[in-house]
Amino acid sequence: MIEDTTWAEKTAQALGISVDRMNLIESYLLHVIEANKTTNLTRIETLESGRMLHLEDSLSGLKEFNKAPEGLYGDLGTGGGFPGVPLSIATGRTVLLVDSVKKKVAILEDIVREMGLSKQMSTYGGRIEDLATEKKASFSVLTARALSSLSSLLELSSPLLVQGGQLICYKANVEDEEIDHVEELKGLLAMRLVSDRSFTLSDGVTPRRILVFEKKGYPSIKLPRRVGMAQKRPL
Ligand SMILES: C[S@@+](CC[C@H](N)C(=O)[O-])C[C@H]1O[C@@H](n2cnc3c(N)ncnc32)[C@H](O)[C@@H]1O
């Protein structure tokens, strides 16, 4: 119990957020771990590993997130709500949690309601490509962790973003070829790399790379392509 308090306090201080918000973020993780006993939301099952691999990791992009333009925020392929829920609680920014698996989204909806966070968080149970048709050029910031290759992420995000809107990608190791490839797709997708930061999580070994892309101009192909194409047949 004493150790739990210390973790939330230490993390809150390191990140410059209030202890109350950090406690709420940790409480969300506990809800996810509980729900995970009956439905597969995440492969992470313990509080200790969840603190690092879900909470610390989700919040590791705060620096980039805080610089993103004001406006609608969406977490693409949110799964158990990461990084969307921790980022939303930490900053007070409203979020749309997007995932194609309706069962997962229904559980997130329940947790969010139970925690009294429904005003700040809503869900979309469907594919990103369909959201792009329904809410074209509506988002100022998007996040994506453990979702797809960079080229697929840029293709899925471009039609959703307003001009100057940003996509924050949480990646592990990225090959130079993948970066070169998205450079080549810059004109086609109207998405350009604006920041790139690499580090390890607090265990000293888990690699993390945060890449931020900005929408500038208009894609030279019609987006979204047919549902599934961006991930099955990346450009
Ligand atoms: C590996 S999980 C990552 C979950 C979470 N972002 C995390 O880092 O813990 C990827 C999630 O993306 C969702 N997903 C994949 N492709 C999608 C698409 N085209 N539209 C909506 N959701 C998608 C999957 O259902 C899955 O829940």
Side-chain angles (χ1 to χ4, degrees), residues 55-142:
L55 306 191
E56 181 196 327
D57 190 21
S58 293
L59 296 169
S60 71
L62 251 186
K63 191 172 156 195
E64 285 78 5
F65 190 75
N66 280 331
K67 287 189 198 151
E70 295 283 312
L72 205 55
Y73 163 42
D75 186 31
L76 304 181
T78 194
F82 302 107
V85 173
L87 285 175
S88 169
I89 296 175
T91 59
R93 197 164 173 153
T94 56
V95 63
L96 181 66
L97 303 165
V98 181
D99 204 286
S100 54
V101 179
K102 291 193 174 18
K103 207 159 80 172
K104 288 188 190 178
V105 167
I107 292 170
L108 298 190
E109 194 83 59
D110 285 347
I111 298 177
V112 162
R113 194 177 324 107
E114 220 174 286
M115 291 183 69
L117 293 168
S118 302
K119 272 198 186 145
Q120 193 171 324
M121 295 174 201
S122 48
T123 59
Y124 179 85
R127 295 201 54 110
I128 300 160
E129 299 92 318
D130 292 323
L131 180 67
T133 309
E134 291 168 35
K135 282 190 175 286
K136 214 171 170 60
S138 303
F139 290 82
S140 297
V141 58
L142 297 169

Side-chain angles (χ1 to χ4, degrees), residues 150-159 182 184-192 214-221 223 225 235:
L150 282 179
S151 60
S152 302
L153 291 179
L154 298 190
E155 177 178 345
L156 290 169
S157 301
S158 180
V182 292
E184 287 164 13
L185 294 175
K186 201 159 61 176
L188 201 66
L189 299 176
M191 296 286 286
R192 62 180 185 118
E214 191 172 278
K215 168 90 175 274
K216 200 168 189 308
Y218 297 90
S220 53
I221 53 167
L223 295 177
R225 284 194 285 158
L235 295 166

